[in-house]
Amino acid sequence: MVAPLALIFLTQWMLLIPQLCVGWNCTDPEIPDSPIRNLKLNRWKMELSWMSSMNFTKNWCSVTAGGFTETIMAQNMKCMFGNVAPPLHNGVSFSVTAVNMNDTYSNICRYIPQGVNGSAIENFSCVVYNISLMNCTWQAGRDAPGDTQYFLYWQNSRDNKEVECELYMKDENGRNMGCRFQNVRMDTEKAYFLVNGSSRASLIKFYDEYIQLYKIEKLLPPSNITVNCDEMKNYCIIQWQQPQISHSNKDKCFKYEINIKYKANGNEIVCTFSSEGGKSHAFQRSNMRKKYLLKMRTAGSACLVSPDWGDWSAPIEFGNDEIISSSVWILLVIAAATLLVAIITILFCKRTGCWKAALPQIPEPKNTFRGLLDTNPELMESKIQSLTSENEDIILVADVVK
């Protein structure tokens, strides 16, 4: 049981070696009798070298892939293509031409990757974010065997050593489908990415790509955004700091988009302004009694900065809702306070009876005849006669005394 497993492991390793090896030898040159022989390509340095028994006064190299062709001069039987070379996964053709006196010699070698068609990864993409982080993702080849596993190698520049991904992102089947990078440093050269595959069933084609990292960077929004408005005038000053990136700190590298929203007559009005460089913008308010909502984003306008717009900043509110003038507010407050005091006073006096003490009633004059209207007429006549006789007796007594 151990022997078959060891054989399978050895087979897979042998299948993977041709794709991981640093050098690739052209074993089938088109001009076998040429003095230019033993063409060899270092894929990580993109250096083409060869051997010859002749001394040449001038020589140069060319690389062709599809409609792409690049020619450079050779030195010491070497051509360093660097970042001008195309990806290799679709196949390329290299040629060397040399001149000795009046004779010209050349040789051509085509590089055709091996492996099952449709087994290489698809939809490879990377994004740099938060200054120094990077994610790369891909999808498995549509015709890749089910046990295919992928491995990502990358090289930030030709002067750096290639390294394998340290933190893979896996799918539900444990297959590597992406990679997370930390402490990524931007470089002026293109980064080189290579994704190999392995399977017990067959040889898997590789995929490679050159990427200029600054072009895939998602820029942060401007920082420290502030809005200062002059309440006596109808304009505001918007100020900010440029977003932080790892490879530039120049204002001229950025352009900004300012988005301001407010409501008028029930409709939402959107104003958009652009600013090239700089760190401030004057905004003319249409109404001092409106609330405004502001957000900003950044894109590169020069330097090695991504020209794509980054994420929007968090919204910032400034200004006020529609309000009444301060003098009207004062009058309304006074009126409300007066009404409140009056209501409290009425309720208090109603409970304690203070109205009687504050406003005493005036007594009515005594009415001698009160109740007479309710008396019997005959009784009234007898009372009148009695009163009359009493008065006459009083008069007689008075006369006797005299």
Side-chain angles (χ1 to χ4, degrees):
M1 182 65 182
V2 176
L5 291 177
L7 182 60
I8 292 174
F9 176 79
L10 181 61
T11 302
Q12 293 307 305
W13 180 249
M14 294 302 295
L15 290 173
L16 194 58
I17 284 177
Q19 300 188 59
L20 293 177
C21 64
V22 174
W24 161 75
N25 290 296
C26 180
T27 57
D28 187 22
E30 291 194 355
I31 308 176
D33 297 331
S34 173
I36 302 171
R37 62 187 187 278
N38 295 334
L39 273 69
K40 183 178 181 179
L41 175 70
N42 184 318
R43 67 157 50 166
W44 294 108
K45 293 183 178 181
M46 280 309 297
E47 178 186 81
L48 182 67
S49 60
W50 60 92
M51 296 179 64
S52 178
S53 57
M54 298 180 62
N55 293 324
F56 300 104
T57 57
K58 184 170 64 173
N59 48 23
W60 60 90
C61 308
S62 296
V63 57
T64 302
F68 174 87
T69 300
E70 183 70 26
T71 300
I72 60 174
M73 298 305 297
Q75 293 182 350
N76 300 323
M77 293 185 289
K78 291 182 180 179
C79 284
M80 183 72 71
F81 290 100
N83 289 328
V84 300
L88 304 176
H89 64 271
N90 288 323
V92 294
S93 176
F94 295 95
S95 67
V96 178
T97 303
V99 177
N100 181 7
M101 302 299 289
N102 295 325
D103 296 324
T104 301
Y105 303 92
S106 64
N107 207 341
I108 299 174
C109 184
R110 288 183 173 86
Y111 176 62
I112 302 175
Q114 302 299 307
V116 176
N117 290 333
S119 62
I121 64 164
E122 300 175 354
N123 299 324
F124 181 83
S125 65
C126 299
V127 59
V128 177
Y129 60 100
N130 288 351
I131 304 171
S132 62
L133 303 179
M134 180 171 67
N135 283 356
C136 292
T137 58
W138 59 82
Q139 294 177 348
R142 67 191 70 181
D143 297 324
D147 68 336
T148 303
Q149 183 62 284
Y150 295 104
F151 306 93
L152 170 65
Y153 299 82
W154 85 299
Q155 186 181 38
N156 200 0
S157 71
R158 293 299 180 191
D159 296 329
N160 298 126
K161 181 177 176 58
E162 68 278 3
V163 293
E164 185 181 358
C165 170
E166 295 181 355
L167 184 59
Y168 283 108
M169 295 182 286
K170 300 178 180 293
D171 62 11
E172 62 276 6
N173 298 319
R175 178 181 287 178
N176 298 335
M177 302 303 291
C179 181
R180 291 188 177 97
F181 299 87
Q182 297 179 339
N183 302 318
V184 175
R185 177 182 54 84
M186 295 287 182
D187 206 302
T188 56
E189 295 185 18
K190 293 180 180 179
Y192 180 64
F193 296 84
L194 171 69
V195 182
N196 285 317
S198 67
S199 169
R200 293 189 298 268
S202 57
L203 184 65
I204 306 301
K205 282 192 172 184
F206 71 87
Y207 176 90
D208 63 337
E209 185 173 344
Y210 293 92
I211 299 178
Q212 195 88 50
L213 294 186
Y214 81 86
K215 292 183 178 180
I216 61 170
E217 182 176 15
K218 181 178 288 187
L219 296 177
L220 294 170
S223 60
N224 299 327
I225 303 174
T226 59
V227 183
N228 296 306
C229 299
D230 189 334
E231 297 302 331
M232 303 301 295
K233 300 179 182 179
N234 62 341
Y235 70 87
C236 300
I237 300 298
I238 305 169
Q239 294 179 306
W240 63 86
Q241 295 293 324
Q242 69 182 44
Q244 184 180 357
I245 58 176
S246 63
H247 56 286
S248 178
N249 58 358
K250 300 177 182 179
D251 288 336
K252 68 177 183 179
C253 294
F254 303 96
K255 61 182 178 181
Y256 306 95
E257 187 173 50
I258 305 170
N259 182 284
I260 298 177
K261 296 180 181 180
Y262 66 94
K263 288 186 177 181
N265 299 324
N267 298 320
E268 186 176 72
I269 309 299
V270 180
C271 301
T272 303
F273 308 94
S274 296
S275 176
E276 286 280 344
K279 297 180 180 180
S280 65
H281 177 80
F283 169 61
Q284 196 81 11
R285 289 188 292 178
S286 61
N287 192 322
M288 296 174 61
R289 296 175 184 150
K290 292 284 186 186
K291 180 174 287 186
Y292 297 85
L293 198 65
L294 176 146
K295 59 182 181 179
M296 294 182 64
R297 61 179 180 175
T298 314
S301 63
C303 313
L304 298 180
V305 180
S306 171
D308 298 329
W309 289 109
D311 293 332
W312 287 104
S313 65
I316 296 176
E317 286 188 354
F318 66 96
N320 300 300
D321 287 329
E322 192 74 39
I323 59 174
I324 305 174
S325 63
S326 58
S327 59
V328 176
W329 269 117
I330 294 173
L331 293 176
L332 289 175
V333 171
I334 293 174
T338 303
L339 180 61
L340 181 62
V341 170
I343 293 174
I344 293 174
T345 302
I346 292 172
L347 294 175
F348 178 77
C349 289
K350 185 176 181 181
R351 178 180 291 274
T352 60
C354 64
W355 292 117
K356 294 179 180 181
L359 301 172
Q361 293 183 353
I362 301 173
E364 296 181 2
K366 185 176 181 181
N367 189 354
T368 306
F369 299 98
R370 177 176 294 177
L372 294 179
L373 297 177
D374 297 332
T375 308
N376 192 317
E378 295 178 357
L379 183 59
M380 287 181 62
E381 185 178 354
S382 65
K383 287 184 177 182
I384 292 172
Q385 291 178 356
S386 175
L387 289 173
T388 303
S389 63
E390 289 178 358
N391 290 335
E392 289 178 353
D393 291 341
I394 293 172
I395 295 172
L396 290 176
V397 172
D399 291 341
V400 172
V401 174
K402 288 180 180 183

